[in-house]
Amino acid sequence: MDDTSRANVTLLAAKIRRDVLSMLLDEGQGHLGGSLSIVELMAVLYGKQLRFNPKEPRWEGRDRVVLSKGHAGPGWYSALAESGFFNREMLYTLNDGGTNLPSHPDRTKTPGVDMTTGSLGQGTSTAAGIAKALQLKGSDAYVYLIVGDGELNEGQCWEAFQFIAHNRLNHCIVIIDDNKKQLDGYTKDVMNPFDIAEKMRAFGFETQRVKGNDVDAIDAAIDAAKAVSDSAVCIVLDSIKGAGVPFFEQMMANHSVKFNTPEIIDATKQAIAELDAQIEGSEA
Ligand SMILES: Cc1ncc(C[n+]2csc(CCOP(=O)(O)OP(=O)(O)O)c2C)c(N)n1
Ligand SMILES: [Mg+2]
Protein backbone atom coordinates (compact mmCIF):
# COMPACT_ATOMS: atom_id res chain seq x y z
CA MET A 1 0.00 0.00 0.00
CA ASP A 2 1.39 3.44 -0.81
CA ASP A 3 1.75 6.11 1.89
CA THR A 4 -1.36 8.04 0.87
CA SER A 5 -3.57 4.93 0.88
CA ARG A 6 -2.14 3.81 4.22
CA ALA A 7 -2.83 7.24 5.74
CA ASN A 8 -6.42 7.19 4.40
CA VAL A 9 -7.12 3.66 5.58
CA THR A 10 -5.58 4.32 9.02
CA LEU A 11 -7.66 7.46 9.42
CA LEU A 12 -10.79 5.55 8.36
CA ALA A 13 -10.02 2.84 10.93
CA ALA A 14 -9.77 5.48 13.68
CA LYS A 15 -13.12 6.93 12.62
CA ILE A 16 -14.82 3.52 12.52
CA ARG A 17 -13.43 2.60 15.95
CA ARG A 18 -14.49 5.98 17.37
CA ASP A 19 -17.99 5.57 15.90
CA VAL A 20 -18.40 2.01 17.25
CA LEU A 21 -17.51 3.18 20.74
CA SER A 22 -19.69 6.26 20.66
CA MET A 23 -22.77 4.57 19.18
CA LEU A 24 -22.64 1.72 21.70
CA LEU A 25 -22.01 4.12 24.58
CA ASP A 26 -25.02 6.12 23.40
CA GLU A 27 -27.11 2.94 23.21
CA GLY A 28 -25.88 1.81 26.63
CA GLN A 29 -24.89 -1.67 25.46
CA GLY A 30 -23.95 -3.72 22.45
CA HIS A 31 -21.66 -6.18 20.71
CA LEU A 32 -18.38 -4.42 21.26
CA GLY A 33 -15.67 -7.09 21.10
CA GLY A 34 -16.52 -8.52 17.69
CA SER A 35 -17.22 -5.09 16.20
CA LEU A 36 -13.78 -3.81 17.23
CA SER A 37 -11.90 -6.86 15.91
CA ILE A 38 -13.00 -6.14 12.32
CA VAL A 39 -12.29 -2.38 12.29
CA GLU A 40 -9.06 -2.60 10.27
CA LEU A 41 -10.67 -5.09 7.85
CA MET A 42 -13.58 -2.71 7.28
CA ALA A 43 -11.18 0.20 6.81
CA VAL A 44 -9.18 -1.70 4.16
CA LEU A 45 -12.39 -2.80 2.42
CA TYR A 46 -14.16 0.57 2.36
CA GLY A 47 -11.00 2.69 2.17
CA LYS A 48 -9.27 0.78 -0.60
CA GLN A 49 -10.44 -2.58 -1.90
CA LEU A 50 -14.21 -2.42 -2.36
CA ARG A 51 -15.97 -1.25 -5.49
CA PHE A 52 -19.06 0.67 -4.40
CA ASN A 53 -21.09 3.80 -4.98
CA PRO A 54 -22.76 5.22 -1.85
CA LYS A 55 -25.11 7.28 -4.05
CA GLU A 56 -26.30 4.11 -5.74
CA PRO A 57 -26.09 1.36 -3.09
CA ARG A 58 -27.66 -1.29 -5.36
CA TRP A 59 -25.43 -0.54 -8.35
CA GLU A 60 -25.15 -3.87 -10.22
CA GLY A 61 -21.37 -3.72 -10.55
CA ARG A 62 -20.72 -3.30 -6.82
CA ASP A 63 -18.78 -5.72 -4.69
CA ARG A 64 -20.91 -7.34 -1.99
CA VAL A 65 -20.22 -7.68 1.71
CA VAL A 66 -21.93 -10.39 3.75
CA LEU A 67 -21.27 -9.94 7.47
CA SER A 68 -22.21 -13.44 8.52
CA LYS A 69 -21.20 -12.61 12.12
CA GLY A 70 -24.11 -10.20 11.99
CA HIS A 71 -23.93 -9.17 15.65
CA ALA A 72 -20.91 -7.07 14.64
CA GLY A 73 -23.29 -4.81 12.69
CA PRO A 74 -22.06 -1.66 14.51
CA GLY A 75 -18.57 -2.21 13.02
CA TRP A 76 -20.11 -2.32 9.56
CA TYR A 77 -22.53 0.59 10.07
CA SER A 78 -19.69 2.86 11.12
CA ALA A 79 -17.81 2.00 7.92
CA LEU A 80 -20.95 2.62 5.82
CA ALA A 81 -21.61 5.99 7.47
CA GLU A 82 -17.99 7.11 7.07
CA SER A 83 -18.17 6.01 3.41
CA GLY A 84 -21.22 8.19 2.71
CA PHE A 85 -24.04 5.62 2.57
CA PHE A 86 -25.94 7.56 5.22
CA ASN A 87 -25.51 10.35 7.69
CA ARG A 88 -23.41 9.68 10.82
CA GLU A 89 -26.32 10.95 12.94
CA MET A 90 -28.21 7.79 11.98
CA LEU A 91 -25.62 5.76 13.92
CA TYR A 92 -27.21 7.01 17.13
CA THR A 93 -30.53 5.35 16.23
CA LEU A 94 -28.94 1.90 16.62
CA ASN A 95 -31.53 -0.61 17.77
CA ASP A 96 -34.15 2.07 18.56
CA GLY A 97 -37.78 1.31 17.66
CA GLY A 98 -38.35 1.91 13.94
CA THR A 99 -34.64 2.36 13.24
CA ASN A 100 -32.95 1.65 9.94
CA LEU A 101 -29.99 0.34 11.93
CA PRO A 102 -31.09 -2.80 13.76
CA SER A 103 -28.29 -4.33 15.82
CA HIS A 104 -28.07 -7.14 13.25
CA PRO A 105 -27.94 -6.16 9.54
CA ASP A 106 -31.13 -6.08 7.48
CA ARG A 107 -30.88 -5.69 3.71
CA THR A 108 -34.35 -4.13 3.53
CA LYS A 109 -33.45 -1.32 5.92
CA THR A 110 -29.88 -0.12 5.56
CA PRO A 111 -28.22 1.34 2.44
CA GLY A 112 -25.08 -0.66 1.67
CA VAL A 113 -26.27 -3.84 3.39
CA ASP A 114 -26.70 -6.59 0.80
CA MET A 115 -27.64 -9.50 2.99
CA THR A 116 -29.60 -9.88 6.19
CA THR A 117 -27.61 -11.75 8.84
CA GLY A 118 -27.56 -12.48 12.54
CA SER A 119 -28.44 -16.13 12.73
CA LEU A 120 -24.89 -17.44 12.76
CA GLY A 121 -23.87 -19.70 9.89
CA GLN A 122 -26.54 -18.58 7.43
CA GLY A 123 -24.44 -15.82 5.83
CA THR A 124 -21.97 -18.41 4.60
CA SER A 125 -24.67 -20.06 2.47
CA THR A 126 -26.23 -16.84 1.22
CA ALA A 127 -22.80 -15.45 0.27
CA ALA A 128 -22.04 -18.68 -1.59
CA GLY A 129 -25.34 -18.28 -3.47
CA ILE A 130 -24.63 -14.65 -4.32
CA ALA A 131 -21.15 -15.58 -5.56
CA LYS A 132 -22.50 -18.42 -7.68
CA ALA A 133 -25.18 -16.15 -9.17
CA LEU A 134 -22.59 -13.48 -9.99
CA GLN A 135 -20.39 -16.14 -11.60
CA LEU A 136 -23.32 -17.37 -13.73
CA LYS A 137 -24.04 -13.80 -14.80
CA GLY A 138 -20.41 -13.32 -15.83
CA SER A 139 -19.92 -10.53 -13.30
CA ASP A 140 -16.43 -9.76 -12.04
CA ALA A 141 -17.72 -8.40 -8.70
CA TYR A 142 -16.34 -9.81 -5.45
CA VAL A 143 -18.26 -11.08 -2.43
CA TYR A 144 -16.51 -10.57 0.90
CA LEU A 145 -17.84 -13.11 3.38
CA ILE A 146 -16.93 -12.29 7.00
CA VAL A 147 -17.28 -15.18 9.44
CA GLY A 148 -16.60 -15.40 13.18
CA ASP A 149 -14.36 -18.06 14.70
CA GLY A 150 -17.07 -19.05 17.18
CA GLU A 151 -19.53 -19.02 14.30
CA LEU A 152 -17.59 -21.98 12.89
CA ASN A 153 -19.44 -24.07 15.51
CA GLU A 154 -22.32 -23.98 13.02
CA GLY A 155 -22.15 -27.01 10.71
CA GLN A 156 -23.76 -24.91 7.99
CA CYS A 157 -20.45 -23.05 7.55
CA TRP A 158 -18.70 -26.23 6.50
CA GLU A 159 -21.39 -27.15 3.98
CA ALA A 160 -21.11 -23.71 2.45
CA PHE A 161 -17.30 -23.87 2.38
CA GLN A 162 -17.50 -27.18 0.51
CA PHE A 163 -19.82 -25.58 -2.02
CA ILE A 164 -17.54 -22.56 -2.46
CA ALA A 165 -14.47 -24.77 -2.87
CA HIS A 166 -16.18 -27.28 -5.18
CA ASN A 167 -17.43 -24.49 -7.45
CA ARG A 168 -14.05 -22.69 -7.28
CA LEU A 169 -15.85 -19.48 -6.37
CA ASN A 170 -12.63 -17.52 -6.16
CA HIS A 171 -14.58 -14.23 -6.22
CA CYS A 172 -16.05 -15.14 -2.84
CA ILE A 173 -13.28 -14.07 -0.48
CA VAL A 174 -13.89 -15.86 2.80
CA ILE A 175 -12.51 -13.93 5.77
CA ILE A 176 -12.53 -15.61 9.18
CA ASP A 177 -12.14 -13.34 12.19
CA ASP A 178 -10.05 -15.52 14.49
CA ASN A 179 -10.32 -13.37 17.62
CA LYS A 180 -10.09 -16.50 19.80
CA LYS A 181 -13.27 -15.82 21.71
CA GLN A 182 -16.96 -16.43 21.22
CA LEU A 183 -19.95 -15.36 23.34
CA ASP A 184 -19.03 -17.00 26.60
CA GLY A 185 -15.34 -17.77 26.52
CA TYR A 186 -12.34 -18.84 24.48
CA THR A 187 -13.15 -20.86 21.38
CA LYS A 188 -10.53 -23.44 22.40
CA ASP A 189 -12.50 -24.09 25.61
CA VAL A 190 -16.05 -24.00 24.18
CA MET A 191 -15.42 -26.16 21.09
CA ASN A 192 -11.84 -26.13 19.89
CA PRO A 193 -11.62 -25.17 16.21
CA PHE A 194 -7.91 -26.25 16.20
CA ASP A 195 -5.90 -24.64 13.40
CA ILE A 196 -8.50 -22.80 11.31
CA ALA A 197 -6.13 -22.04 8.42
CA GLU A 198 -5.11 -25.71 8.14
CA LYS A 199 -8.76 -26.71 8.20
CA MET A 200 -9.61 -24.30 5.39
CA ARG A 201 -6.68 -25.64 3.37
CA ALA A 202 -8.00 -29.16 3.88
CA PHE A 203 -11.35 -27.92 2.56
CA GLY A 204 -9.63 -26.78 -0.65
CA PHE A 205 -9.08 -23.10 0.07
CA GLU A 206 -5.90 -21.22 -0.81
CA THR A 207 -5.51 -19.76 2.67
CA GLN A 208 -3.48 -16.94 4.21
CA ARG A 209 -3.24 -15.92 7.86
CA VAL A 210 -2.50 -12.28 8.68
CA LYS A 211 -2.52 -9.99 11.70
CA GLY A 212 -6.02 -8.61 12.07
CA ASN A 213 -4.89 -5.07 12.97
CA ASP A 214 -2.28 -4.74 10.21
CA VAL A 215 -3.82 -2.77 7.36
CA ASP A 216 -0.89 -3.43 5.02
CA ALA A 217 -1.05 -7.18 5.65
CA ILE A 218 -4.83 -7.31 5.16
CA ASP A 219 -4.61 -5.29 1.96
CA ALA A 220 -1.78 -7.46 0.59
CA ALA A 221 -3.72 -10.62 1.48
CA ILE A 222 -6.78 -9.38 -0.42
CA ASP A 223 -4.58 -8.54 -3.43
CA ALA A 224 -3.08 -12.02 -3.27
CA ALA A 225 -6.53 -13.63 -2.93
CA LYS A 226 -7.70 -11.72 -6.01
CA ALA A 227 -4.73 -13.10 -7.96
CA VAL A 228 -5.84 -16.71 -7.36
CA SER A 229 -7.82 -17.95 -10.34
CA ASP A 230 -8.31 -21.66 -9.90
CA SER A 231 -9.46 -22.27 -6.33
CA ALA A 232 -11.45 -20.88 -3.44
CA VAL A 233 -9.66 -18.36 -1.23
CA CYS A 234 -9.64 -17.64 2.48
CA ILE A 235 -8.00 -15.09 4.74
CA VAL A 236 -7.80 -15.86 8.46
CA LEU A 237 -7.48 -12.73 10.57
CA ASP A 238 -5.31 -13.30 13.62
CA SER A 239 -7.23 -10.73 15.62
CA ILE A 240 -8.04 -9.63 19.17
CA LYS A 241 -11.57 -9.36 20.50
CA GLY A 242 -12.02 -5.73 21.61
CA ALA A 243 -9.04 -4.68 19.46
CA GLY A 244 -7.61 -1.19 19.66
CA VAL A 245 -8.80 -0.29 23.14
CA PRO A 246 -6.53 -1.87 25.82
CA PHE A 247 -9.29 -1.71 28.46
CA PHE A 248 -11.64 -3.79 26.31
CA GLU A 249 -8.91 -6.11 25.01
CA GLN A 250 -8.23 -7.06 28.63
CA MET A 251 -11.88 -7.38 29.66
CA MET A 252 -12.71 -11.10 29.65
CA ALA A 253 -16.48 -10.79 29.01
CA ASN A 254 -16.18 -8.31 26.13
CA HIS A 255 -18.64 -9.93 23.71
CA SER A 256 -21.65 -7.81 24.61
CA VAL A 257 -20.79 -4.94 26.91
CA LYS A 258 -23.13 -2.93 29.14
CA PHE A 259 -21.90 0.59 29.74
CA ASN A 260 -23.16 0.67 33.28
CA THR A 261 -20.17 1.30 35.55
CA PRO A 262 -18.12 4.50 35.90
CA GLU A 263 -14.98 2.49 35.04
CA ILE A 264 -16.40 1.22 31.72
CA ILE A 265 -17.91 4.59 30.81
CA ASP A 266 -14.70 6.49 31.62
CA ALA A 267 -12.53 4.04 29.66
CA THR A 268 -14.85 4.40 26.66
CA LYS A 269 -14.91 8.19 26.82
CA GLN A 270 -11.14 8.28 27.14
CA ALA A 271 -10.71 6.01 24.11
CA ILE A 272 -13.12 8.20 22.10
CA ALA A 273 -11.18 11.34 23.09
CA GLU A 274 -7.87 9.76 22.05
CA LEU A 275 -9.32 8.67 18.70
CA ASP A 276 -10.83 12.13 18.15
CA ALA A 277 -7.39 13.66 18.76
CA GLN A 278 -5.80 11.18 16.31
CA ILE A 279 -8.45 11.98 13.70
CA GLU A 280 -8.07 15.75 14.15
CA GLY A 281 -4.28 15.40 13.94
CA SER A 282 -4.48 13.44 10.68
CA GLU A 283 -7.01 15.79 9.09
CA ALA A 284 -5.13 18.97 10.08
C1 LIG B 1 -27.65 -19.54 15.22
C2 LIG B 1 -27.24 -18.64 16.32
N1 LIG B 1 -26.98 -19.14 17.55
C3 LIG B 1 -26.61 -18.30 18.55
C4 LIG B 1 -26.50 -16.95 18.35
C5 LIG B 1 -26.12 -16.04 19.49
N2 LIG B 1 -24.75 -15.52 19.34
C6 LIG B 1 -24.53 -14.29 18.88
S1 LIG B 1 -22.89 -13.94 18.72
C7 LIG B 1 -22.45 -15.46 19.32
C8 LIG B 1 -21.01 -15.84 19.43
C9 LIG B 1 -20.27 -15.70 18.15
O1 LIG B 1 -18.89 -15.85 18.31
P1 LIG B 1 -17.91 -15.40 17.17
O2 LIG B 1 -18.38 -15.93 15.88
O3 LIG B 1 -16.54 -15.79 17.59
O4 LIG B 1 -18.13 -13.82 17.14
P2 LIG B 1 -17.13 -12.63 17.54
O5 LIG B 1 -16.07 -13.17 18.44
O6 LIG B 1 -16.57 -12.15 16.26
O7 LIG B 1 -17.99 -11.61 18.21
C10 LIG B 1 -23.59 -16.22 19.62
C11 LIG B 1 -23.57 -17.58 20.17
C12 LIG B 1 -26.79 -16.47 17.05
N3 LIG B 1 -26.69 -15.16 16.75
N4 LIG B 1 -27.13 -17.32 16.06
MG1 LIG C 1 -14.83 -14.76 17.94
Side-chain angles (χ1 to χ4, degrees), residues 36-55:
L36 289 182
S37 59
I38 55 167
V39 166
E40 277 71 22
L41 169 66
M42 286 297 180
V44 170
L45 288 179
Y46 284 88
K48 179 144 185 293
Q49 289 283 355
L50 264 189
R51 201 161 66 179
F52 65 92
N53 178 1
K55 303 278 168 279

Side-chain angles (χ1 to χ4, degrees), residues 68-181:
S68 193
K69 43 170 267 183
H71 58 281
W76 192 9
Y77 299 153
S78 303
L80 291 172
E82 294 295 349
S83 306
F85 282 90
F86 47 82
N87 199 303
R88 276 190 66 235
E89 293 313 305
M90 193 166 125
L91 293 176
Y92 300 102
T93 69
L94 179 75
N95 233 4
D96 292 345
T99 185
N100 284 321
L101 288 186
S103 68
H104 297 65
D106 183 332
R107 65 183 294 281
T108 68
K109 293 199 186 310
T110 314
V113 170
D114 281 313
M115 183 45 68
T116 300
T117 52
S119 186
L120 294 170
Q122 293 186 1
T124 60
S125 302
T126 53
I130 294 169
K132 182 68 190 169
L134 289 170
Q135 186 193 54
L136 289 171
K137 283 179 168 179
S139 165
D140 65 350
Y142 284 90
V143 181
Y144 293 87
L145 164 59
I146 305 170
V147 189
D149 54 350
E151 180 175 10
L152 298 177
N153 288 178
E154 294 287 345
Q156 181 170 4
C157 298
W158 302 99
E159 295 186 47
F161 294 158
Q162 286 197 128
F163 180 89
I164 293 166
H166 174 79
N167 286 281
R168 298 182 199 279
L169 297 175
N170 61 311
H171 276 225
C172 182
I173 301 184
V174 178
I175 302 173
I176 299 177
D177 183 19
D178 184 7
N179 61 20
K180 286 82 172 175
K181 282 182 177 177

